[in-house]
Amino acid sequence: MEYPDTAGLFPAGAIVNVECSNGTEILNYYVSSRSYSGDRVSFTCIDRSYTADRKFEIPSDKYINVYDKDGKITATYALIADVMDSIISVCGYSGYSDMSGILTAVVPKIDKNKLDGRSCRDILDELTRTCASFAMVQGDTGSGNVQGILVFIPMNVGAASVYTADKGKYDKLRLGGIKKVNAVELSSGCKNYSAGSASSPFNTLAIETPYASEAAAGAVYGMLKDYEYRAWECDKMLLDSFIPLPSSIIKFPEGDMYVNHCSVFLTSSGIYASMGRNAVSEDEIGYLNRTERELNQRYRIGDVKNNTVIDEDGIQFVFENKNGDPEKYGFKTFAGGLAEFGGAMIDSIMPDSVETVSETDTEVVQRILYGGKTYELTYTKDGNKKSNISFKEVSG
């Protein structure tokens, strides 16, 4: 059938159901883009996770302000439950489930700086790394707008289908190395938190996350202690009844293998898949996102580096109080290069010497020595008033 005008056919977001004659259940897909070539229209479709790229939004009344004794706002945050509810609403999922069981315990609240201007995917990426997990949409199958549930799945959990491999229906299984988790290290900027004890870095799970904390390191270690990560590959397998998803378990004669990547090919002779679990080549078992692997030195708004942070108000100096909450003090600037600091500064280095070079009834000249450099302070005086003040470096 020819369609002279395809503008209204399969718009972006339209549901695409793939049905197999053998009853294999396949997740729903959604039209994300299309291209034209002569009389042909080609479509690119992705699963429900495509909505995670939407900008994060949360009702303003969900933010909670923290005030100091003078009534000044020192921090603004949202509870993790409200953050997740907003992500579910923005992305159109029917709900979420945390199979790690540690999310709300290790990230009870999120600072506003870590939410403003971010996509839902960015936020989820940081949260799942904190829990040594990944997020996927489950249950989005069949006809209609099922939506699906967003699930946090830890790296040691098989949450999808379990399939027993038929020896005559797959190519050779290639087994990779085994790495046992004996220690966990979470880091954020200059702060590092660890739990467990590894005989070598090879058995350490290293996680870079802005939500690093002692509680998070302990919780992840408790979840993964002595877990053995095994890498493997199978280039070709004939599938009979299911499509492997991340966290699926394939039962081989050599043992149960967890899937974390899979490519499926629909052909006239059957459904084939290439699948496996990535090898870990780092000294430590790295759990870094793509941005951190490629741009490990990039600083983002809200990241605390040593005792400073850049937020919507500019550069702030940070002190973490006994409750673990950051106190931030910044600058206001005015004409003529004048800056007002929100806190107080105390000099820890005093001048080596202060010498009055000359003094009259109207003018004073002093020389001040700082660490091998000499500065000249000059001012005129009229009673108790000092004016025409200048301060410059001079030769010794």
Coordinates of all heavy atoms in Angstrom, one line a residue, residues 236-314:
K236 N 26.8 -16.7 19.6 CA 25.6 -17.1 18.9 C 24.8 -18.1 19.7 O 25.3 -19.2 20.0 CB 25.9 -17.5 17.5 CG 24.7 -17.7 16.6 CD 25.1 -18.1 15.2 CE 23.9 -18.2 14.2 NZ 24.3 -18.6 12.9
M237 N 23.5 -17.8 19.9 CA 22.7 -18.8 20.6 C 21.3 -18.7 19.9 O 20.8 -17.6 19.7 CB 22.6 -18.5 22.1 CG 21.6 -19.4 22.8 SD 21.4 -19.0 24.6 CE 23.0 -19.5 25.2
L238 N 20.7 -19.8 19.6 CA 19.3 -19.9 19.1 C 18.4 -19.8 20.3 O 18.4 -20.6 21.2 CB 19.1 -21.2 18.3 CG 17.7 -21.4 17.8 CD1 17.3 -20.3 16.7 CD2 17.6 -22.8 17.1
L239 N 17.5 -18.8 20.3 CA 16.5 -18.6 21.3 C 15.2 -19.3 21.0 O 14.7 -19.1 19.9 CB 16.3 -17.1 21.6 CG 17.6 -16.3 21.9 CD1 17.3 -14.8 22.1 CD2 18.3 -16.9 23.1
D240 N 14.6 -19.9 22.0 CA 13.3 -20.6 21.8 C 12.1 -19.9 22.4 O 11.1 -19.9 21.8 CB 13.4 -22.0 22.3 CG 14.4 -22.9 21.6 OD1 14.5 -22.7 20.4 OD2 15.0 -23.8 22.2
S241 N 12.3 -19.3 23.6 CA 11.2 -18.9 24.3 C 11.3 -17.5 25.0 O 10.3 -17.0 25.5 CB 10.8 -19.9 25.3 OG 11.8 -20.1 26.2
F242 N 12.5 -16.9 25.0 CA 12.6 -15.6 25.6 C 13.8 -14.8 25.0 O 14.7 -15.4 24.4 CB 12.8 -15.8 27.1 CG 14.2 -15.9 27.6 CD1 14.8 -14.9 28.3 CD2 15.0 -17.0 27.3 CE1 16.1 -15.0 28.7 CE2 16.3 -17.1 27.7 CZ 16.9 -16.1 28.4
I243 N 13.8 -13.5 25.3 CA 14.8 -12.6 24.9 C 15.6 -12.3 26.2 O 15.1 -11.7 27.1 CB 14.3 -11.3 24.3 CG1 13.4 -11.7 23.1 CG2 15.4 -10.4 23.9 CD1 14.2 -12.3 21.9
P244 N 16.9 -12.6 26.2 CA 17.7 -12.2 27.4 C 17.8 -10.7 27.6 O 18.0 -9.9 26.7 CB 19.1 -12.8 27.1 CG 18.9 -13.8 26.0 CD 17.7 -13.3 25.2
L245 N 17.6 -10.3 28.8 CA 17.7 -8.9 29.2 C 18.8 -8.8 30.2 O 19.3 -9.8 30.8 CB 16.4 -8.4 29.9 CG 15.1 -8.5 29.0 CD1 13.9 -8.1 29.8 CD2 15.2 -7.5 27.8
P246 N 19.3 -7.6 30.5 CA 20.3 -7.4 31.5 C 19.7 -8.0 32.8 O 18.6 -7.7 33.2 CB 20.4 -5.9 31.6 CG 20.1 -5.4 30.3 CD 19.0 -6.3 29.8
S247 N 20.5 -8.7 33.5 CA 20.2 -9.5 34.8 C 19.6 -10.8 34.5 O 19.3 -11.5 35.5 CB 19.4 -8.7 35.8 OG 18.0 -8.7 35.4
S248 N 19.3 -11.2 33.2 CA 18.9 -12.6 33.0 C 20.0 -13.5 33.4 O 21.2 -13.2 33.3 CB 18.6 -12.8 31.5 OG 17.4 -12.1 31.1
I249 N 19.6 -14.8 33.7 CA 20.6 -15.8 34.0 C 20.4 -16.9 33.0 O 19.3 -17.4 32.8 CB 20.3 -16.4 35.5 CG1 20.5 -15.3 36.5 CG2 21.2 -17.6 35.7 CD1 20.2 -15.7 37.9
I250 N 21.6 -17.3 32.4 CA 21.6 -18.4 31.5 C 22.3 -19.6 32.2 O 23.4 -19.5 32.7 CB 22.4 -18.1 30.2 CG1 22.0 -16.7 29.6 CG2 22.2 -19.2 29.2 CD1 20.5 -16.7 29.2
K251 N 21.6 -20.7 32.3 CA 22.2 -21.9 32.9 C 22.9 -22.7 31.9 O 22.3 -23.4 31.1 CB 21.0 -22.7 33.6 CG 20.4 -22.0 34.8 CD 19.4 -22.9 35.4 CE 18.9 -22.4 36.8 NZ 20.0 -22.3 37.8
F252 N 24.3 -22.7 32.0 CA 25.1 -23.5 31.1 C 25.6 -24.7 32.0 O 25.6 -24.6 33.2 CB 26.3 -22.6 30.7 CG 26.0 -21.6 29.7 CD1 25.8 -20.3 30.1 CD2 25.9 -21.9 28.3 CE1 25.5 -19.3 29.1 CE2 25.6 -20.9 27.4 CZ 25.4 -19.6 27.8
P253 N 26.1 -25.7 31.3 CA 26.8 -26.8 32.0 C 27.9 -26.3 32.9 O 28.2 -26.9 34.0 CB 27.3 -27.7 30.9 CG 26.3 -27.5 29.8 CD 26.0 -26.0 29.8
E254 N 28.6 -25.2 32.5 CA 29.7 -24.7 33.3 C 29.2 -23.9 34.5 O 30.1 -23.5 35.3 CB 30.6 -23.8 32.4 CG 31.3 -24.5 31.3 CD 30.4 -24.7 30.0 OE1 29.2 -24.4 30.1 OE2 30.9 -25.2 29.0
G255 N 28.0 -23.6 34.6 CA 27.4 -22.8 35.7 C 26.5 -21.7 35.2 O 26.2 -21.5 34.1
D256 N 25.9 -21.0 36.2 CA 24.9 -19.9 35.9 C 25.7 -18.7 35.5 O 26.6 -18.2 36.2 CB 24.1 -19.6 37.1 CG 23.1 -20.8 37.5 OD1 23.1 -21.7 36.7 OD2 22.5 -20.7 38.5
M257 N 25.3 -18.1 34.4 CA 26.0 -16.9 33.9 C 25.0 -15.7 33.8 O 23.9 -15.9 33.3 CB 26.5 -17.1 32.5 CG 27.5 -18.3 32.4 SD 29.0 -18.0 33.4 CE 29.7 -19.6 33.5
Y258 N 25.4 -14.6 34.4 CA 24.6 -13.4 34.4 C 24.8 -12.6 33.1 O 25.9 -12.4 32.6 CB 24.9 -12.5 35.5 CG 24.4 -13.0 36.9 CD1 25.1 -14.1 37.5 CD2 23.4 -12.4 37.6 CE1 24.6 -14.6 38.7 CE2 23.0 -12.8 38.8 CZ 23.6 -13.9 39.4 OH 23.2 -14.4 40.6
V259 N 23.7 -12.1 32.5 CA 23.8 -11.3 31.2 C 23.9 -9.8 31.6 O 23.0 -9.4 32.4 CB 22.6 -11.6 30.3 CG1 22.6 -10.7 29.1 CG2 22.5 -13.1 29.9
N260 N 24.8 -9.1 31.0 CA 24.7 -7.7 31.1 C 24.8 -7.0 29.7 O 24.7 -5.8 29.6 CB 25.8 -7.1 32.0 CG 27.2 -7.2 31.5 OD1 27.5 -7.6 30.4 ND2 28.2 -6.8 32.3
H261 N 24.9 -7.8 28.6 CA 24.8 -7.2 27.3 C 24.3 -8.3 26.3 O 24.6 -9.5 26.5 CB 26.1 -6.6 26.8 CG 27.2 -7.6 26.5 ND1 27.2 -8.2 25.3 CD2 28.2 -8.0 27.2 CE1 28.3 -9.1 25.3 NE2 28.9 -8.9 26.4
C262 N 23.5 -7.9 25.4 CA 22.9 -8.9 24.5 C 22.4 -8.2 23.2 O 21.8 -7.1 23.2 CB 21.7 -9.6 25.1 SG 20.9 -10.8 24.1
S263 N 22.8 -8.7 22.1 CA 22.3 -8.3 20.8 C 21.5 -9.4 20.2 O 21.9 -10.6 20.1 CB 23.5 -8.0 19.8 OG 24.3 -6.9 20.4
V264 N 20.2 -9.1 19.7 CA 19.3 -10.1 19.2 C 19.1 -9.8 17.7 O 18.9 -8.7 17.3 CB 18.0 -10.0 20.0 CG1 16.9 -11.0 19.4 CG2 18.2 -10.2 21.5
F265 N 19.0 -10.9 17.0 CA 18.8 -10.9 15.5 C 17.6 -11.7 15.2 O 17.5 -12.9 15.4 CB 20.1 -11.4 14.8 CG 21.3 -10.7 15.2 CD1 22.1 -11.3 16.3 CD2 21.8 -9.6 14.6 CE1 23.3 -10.6 16.7 CE2 22.9 -8.9 15.1 CZ 23.7 -9.5 16.1
L266 N 16.6 -11.0 14.6 CA 15.4 -11.7 14.1 C 15.5 -12.1 12.7 O 15.7 -11.3 11.8 CB 14.2 -10.8 14.3 CG 13.9 -10.2 15.7 CD1 12.7 -9.3 15.7 CD2 13.8 -11.2 16.8
T267 N 15.6 -13.4 12.4 CA 15.8 -13.9 11.1 C 14.7 -14.9 10.7 O 13.9 -15.3 11.5 CB 17.1 -14.7 11.0 OG1 17.1 -15.9 11.6 CG2 18.3 -13.8 11.5
S268 N 14.6 -15.3 9.4 CA 13.6 -16.2 8.9 C 13.8 -17.6 9.5 O 12.9 -18.4 9.5 CB 13.6 -16.3 7.4 OG 14.9 -16.6 6.9
S269 N 15.0 -17.9 9.9 CA 15.3 -19.2 10.5 C 15.3 -19.3 12.0 O 15.5 -20.3 12.6 CB 16.7 -19.7 10.0 OG 17.7 -18.8 10.4
G270 N 15.0 -18.2 12.6 CA 14.9 -18.2 14.1 C 15.4 -16.9 14.7 O 15.9 -16.0 14.0
I271 N 15.4 -16.8 16.0 CA 15.9 -15.7 16.8 C 17.2 -16.1 17.4 O 17.3 -17.0 18.1 CB 14.9 -15.3 17.9 CG1 13.5 -15.0 17.3 CG2 15.4 -14.1 18.7 CD1 12.5 -14.7 18.4
Y272 N 18.2 -15.3 17.0 CA 19.6 -15.5 17.5 C 20.1 -14.4 18.4 O 19.6 -13.2 18.2 CB 20.6 -15.7 16.4 CG 20.3 -17.0 15.5 CD1 19.4 -16.9 14.4 CD2 20.8 -18.2 15.8 CE1 19.1 -18.0 13.7 CE2 20.5 -19.3 15.1 CZ 19.7 -19.2 14.0 OH 19.4 -20.4 13.3
A273 N 21.0 -14.7 19.3 CA 21.5 -13.7 20.2 C 23.0 -13.9 20.4 O 23.5 -15.0 20.5 CB 20.8 -13.7 21.5
S274 N 23.7 -12.7 20.6 CA 25.0 -12.7 21.0 C 25.0 -12.0 22.4 O 24.5 -10.9 22.5 CB 25.9 -11.9 20.0 OG 27.2 -11.7 20.5
M275 N 25.6 -12.7 23.4 CA 25.5 -12.1 24.7 C 26.7 -12.4 25.6 O 27.6 -13.2 25.2 CB 24.2 -12.7 25.3 CG 24.3 -14.3 25.6 SD 22.8 -15.0 26.1 CE 22.0 -15.2 24.5
G276 N 26.7 -11.9 26.8 CA 27.8 -12.1 27.7 C 27.8 -11.1 28.8 O 26.8 -10.4 29.1
R277 N 28.9 -11.1 29.5 CA 29.1 -10.2 30.6 C 30.5 -9.6 30.4 O 31.5 -10.3 30.3 CB 29.0 -10.9 31.9 CG 28.8 -10.0 33.1 CD 28.6 -10.8 34.4 NE 27.9 -10.1 35.5 CZ 27.9 -10.4 36.7 NH1 28.6 -11.5 37.1 NH2 27.3 -9.7 37.6
N278 N 30.6 -8.3 30.5 CA 31.9 -7.6 30.2 C 33.0 -8.0 31.1 O 32.8 -8.2 32.3 CB 31.7 -6.1 30.3 CG 30.6 -5.5 29.4 OD1 29.5 -5.3 29.8 ND2 30.9 -5.3 28.1
A279 N 34.2 -8.1 30.5 CA 35.4 -8.3 31.3 C 35.8 -7.0 32.0 O 35.5 -5.9 31.5 CB 36.5 -8.8 30.4
V280 N 36.4 -7.2 33.1 CA 36.9 -6.0 33.9 C 38.4 -6.0 33.8 O 39.0 -6.9 34.3 CB 36.4 -6.1 35.3 CG1 36.9 -4.8 36.1 CG2 34.9 -6.2 35.4
S281 N 38.9 -5.0 33.1 CA 40.4 -5.0 32.9 C 41.1 -4.1 33.9 O 42.4 -4.1 33.9 CB 40.7 -4.6 31.5 OG 40.1 -3.3 31.2
E282 N 40.4 -3.2 34.6 CA 41.1 -2.3 35.5 C 41.7 -3.0 36.7 O 41.3 -4.2 37.0 CB 40.1 -1.2 36.0 CG 39.6 -0.3 34.9 CD 38.3 -0.9 34.2 OE1 37.9 -2.0 34.6 OE2 37.8 -0.2 33.4
D283 N 42.7 -2.4 37.3 CA 43.2 -3.0 38.6 C 42.1 -3.1 39.6 O 42.0 -4.1 40.3 CB 44.3 -2.1 39.2 CG 45.6 -2.2 38.3 OD1 45.7 -3.1 37.6 OD2 46.4 -1.2 38.4
E284 N 41.2 -2.1 39.7 CA 40.1 -2.2 40.5 C 38.9 -2.5 39.7 O 38.9 -2.2 38.5 CB 39.9 -0.9 41.3 CG 41.0 -0.5 42.2 CD 40.8 0.8 42.9 OE1 40.2 1.7 42.2 OE2 41.3 1.1 44.0
I285 N 37.9 -3.1 40.3 CA 36.6 -3.3 39.5 C 35.9 -1.9 39.4 O 35.3 -1.5 40.4 CB 35.7 -4.3 40.2 CG1 36.5 -5.6 40.4 CG2 34.5 -4.6 39.4 CD1 35.7 -6.7 41.2
G286 N 36.1 -1.2 38.3 CA 35.5 0.1 38.2 C 34.0 0.1 38.0 O 33.5 -0.6 37.2
Y287 N 33.3 1.0 38.7 CA 31.9 1.2 38.5 C 31.7 2.7 38.2 O 31.0 3.4 39.0 CB 31.2 0.8 39.8 CG 29.8 0.2 39.6 CD1 29.6 -1.1 39.3 CD2 28.7 1.0 39.6 CE1 28.3 -1.7 39.1 CE2 27.4 0.5 39.4 CZ 27.2 -0.8 39.2 OH 26.0 -1.3 39.0
L288 N 32.2 3.1 37.1 CA 32.2 4.5 36.7 C 31.2 4.7 35.5 O 31.1 3.8 34.7 CB 33.6 5.1 36.3 CG 34.7 4.8 37.3 CD1 36.0 5.3 36.8 CD2 34.4 5.3 38.7
N289 N 30.6 5.8 35.5 CA 29.7 6.1 34.3 C 30.6 6.5 33.1 O 31.8 6.7 33.2 CB 28.6 7.1 34.6 CG 29.2 8.5 34.8 OD1 30.4 8.8 34.7 ND2 28.3 9.4 35.0
R290 N 29.9 6.6 31.9 CA 30.7 6.9 30.7 C 31.3 8.2 30.8 O 32.5 8.4 30.4 CB 29.7 6.8 29.5 CG 30.4 7.1 28.2 CD 29.5 6.9 27.0 NE 28.4 7.9 27.1 CZ 27.4 7.9 26.3 NH1 27.2 7.0 25.3 NH2 26.4 8.9 26.4
T291 N 30.7 9.2 31.3 CA 31.3 10.6 31.4 C 32.5 10.6 32.3 O 33.5 11.2 31.9 CB 30.2 11.6 32.0 OG1 29.1 11.6 31.1 CG2 30.8 12.9 32.1
E292 N 32.5 9.8 33.4 CA 33.6 9.8 34.3 C 34.8 9.0 33.7 O 35.9 9.3 33.9 CB 33.2 9.2 35.6 CG 32.5 10.2 36.5 CD 31.5 9.6 37.4 OE1 31.3 8.4 37.3 OE2 31.0 10.3 38.3
R293 N 34.5 8.0 32.9 CA 35.6 7.3 32.2 C 36.2 8.2 31.2 O 37.5 8.1 31.0 CB 35.0 6.0 31.5 CG 34.6 5.0 32.5 CD 34.4 3.6 31.8 NE 33.4 3.7 30.7 CZ 32.1 3.4 30.9 NH1 31.7 3.0 32.1 NH2 31.3 3.5 29.9
E294 N 35.4 9.0 30.5 CA 36.0 9.8 29.4 C 36.5 11.2 29.8 O 37.4 11.7 29.3 CB 34.9 10.0 28.3 CG 34.5 8.7 27.6 CD 33.4 8.9 26.6 OE1 32.8 10.0 26.6 OE2 33.1 7.9 25.9
L295 N 35.8 11.7 30.8 CA 36.2 13.1 31.3 C 36.3 13.1 32.8 O 35.6 13.7 33.5 CB 35.1 14.1 30.9 CG 34.8 14.2 29.4 CD1 33.6 15.1 29.2 CD2 36.0 14.8 28.7
N296 N 37.2 12.3 33.3 CA 37.4 12.0 34.7 C 37.7 13.3 35.5 O 37.5 13.4 36.7 CB 38.4 10.9 35.0 CG 38.2 10.3 36.3 OD1 37.1 10.1 36.8 ND2 39.3 10.0 37.0
Q297 N 38.3 14.3 34.8 CA 38.7 15.5 35.5 C 37.6 16.6 35.5 O 37.9 17.7 35.9 CB 40.0 16.0 35.0 CG 41.1 15.0 35.1 CD 41.4 14.5 36.5 OE1 41.4 15.3 37.4 NE2 41.5 13.2 36.7
R298 N 36.5 16.4 34.8 CA 35.5 17.4 34.7 C 34.8 17.7 36.0 O 34.3 16.8 36.6 CB 34.5 17.0 33.6 CG 33.4 18.0 33.3 CD 32.6 17.6 32.2 NE 31.8 16.4 32.6 CZ 30.5 16.5 33.0 NH1 29.9 17.7 33.2 NH2 29.8 15.4 33.4
Y299 N 34.7 19.0 36.3 CA 34.0 19.3 37.5 C 32.6 19.8 37.1 O 32.4 20.5 36.1 CB 34.7 20.5 38.3 CG 36.0 20.1 38.9 CD1 36.9 21.0 39.3 CD2 36.4 18.7 39.0 CE1 38.1 20.7 39.9 CE2 37.6 18.4 39.5 CZ 38.5 19.4 39.9 OH 39.7 19.0 40.5
R300 N 31.6 19.5 37.9 CA 30.2 19.9 37.6 C 29.7 20.8 38.7 O 30.2 20.8 39.9 CB 29.3 18.7 37.5 CG 29.6 17.8 36.3 CD 28.8 16.6 36.3 NE 28.9 15.8 37.6 CZ 28.7 14.6 37.7 NH1 28.3 13.8 36.7 NH2 28.8 14.0 38.9
I301 N 28.6 21.6 38.4 CA 28.0 22.4 39.4 C 27.5 21.5 40.6 O 26.9 20.5 40.3 CB 26.8 23.2 38.8 CG1 27.4 24.2 37.9 CG2 26.0 23.8 39.9 CD1 26.3 25.0 37.2
G302 N 27.8 21.8 41.8 CA 27.4 21.1 42.9 C 28.5 20.1 43.4 O 28.4 19.6 44.5
D303 N 29.5 19.9 42.7 CA 30.6 19.0 43.1 C 31.5 19.7 44.1 O 32.0 20.8 43.9 CB 31.5 18.5 41.9 CG 30.8 17.5 41.1 OD1 29.7 17.0 41.5 OD2 31.2 17.2 40.0
V304 N 31.7 19.1 45.3 CA 32.6 19.6 46.3 C 34.0 19.2 46.0 O 34.3 18.0 46.0 CB 32.1 19.2 47.7 CG1 33.1 19.8 48.7 CG2 30.7 19.8 48.0
K305 N 34.9 20.1 45.9 CA 36.3 19.8 45.7 C 37.1 20.4 46.8 O 37.2 21.6 46.9 CB 36.9 20.3 44.3 CG 36.1 19.7 43.1 CD 36.3 18.2 43.0 CE 35.5 17.6 41.8 NZ 35.6 16.1 41.8
N306 N 37.7 19.5 47.6 CA 38.4 20.0 48.9 C 37.4 20.8 49.7 O 36.4 20.2 50.2 CB 39.6 20.8 48.5 CG 40.7 19.9 47.9 OD1 40.9 18.7 48.3 ND2 41.4 20.4 46.9
N307 N 37.6 22.1 49.8 CA 36.6 22.9 50.7 C 35.9 23.9 49.8 O 35.4 24.9 50.4 CB 37.4 23.6 51.8 CG 38.4 24.6 51.3 OD1 38.8 24.5 50.1 ND2 38.9 25.5 52.1
T308 N 35.7 23.7 48.5 CA 35.0 24.6 47.7 C 34.0 23.9 46.8 O 34.1 22.7 46.5 CB 36.0 25.4 46.7 OG1 36.7 24.5 45.9 CG2 37.0 26.2 47.5
V309 N 33.0 24.7 46.4 CA 31.9 24.1 45.5 C 31.5 25.3 44.6 O 31.5 26.4 45.0 CB 30.7 23.6 46.3 CG1 30.1 24.6 47.1 CG2 29.7 22.9 45.4
I310 N 31.1 25.0 43.4 CA 30.5 26.0 42.5 C 29.0 25.6 42.4 O 28.6 24.5 42.0 CB 31.1 25.9 41.1 CG1 32.6 26.3 41.2 CG2 30.4 26.9 40.2 CD1 33.3 26.2 39.9
D311 N 28.1 26.6 42.8 CA 26.7 26.4 42.7 C 26.1 27.6 42.0 O 26.8 28.4 41.3 CB 26.1 26.1 44.0 CG 26.2 27.3 45.0 OD1 26.6 28.4 44.6 OD2 25.9 27.1 46.2
E312 N 24.8 27.7 42.1 CA 24.1 28.8 41.3 C 24.5 30.2 41.8 O 24.3 31.2 41.1 CB 22.6 28.7 41.4 CG 22.0 29.0 42.8 CD 21.9 27.7 43.6 OE1 22.5 26.7 43.2 OE2 21.3 27.8 44.7
D313 N 25.1 30.3 43.0 CA 25.6 31.6 43.6 C 27.1 31.8 43.3 O 27.6 32.8 43.8 CB 25.3 31.6 45.1 CG 23.8 31.6 45.4 OD1 23.0 32.2 44.6 OD2 23.4 30.9 46.3
G314 N 27.7 30.9 42.6 CA 29.1 31.1 42.3 C 30.0 30.2 43.2 O 29.6 29.1 43.7

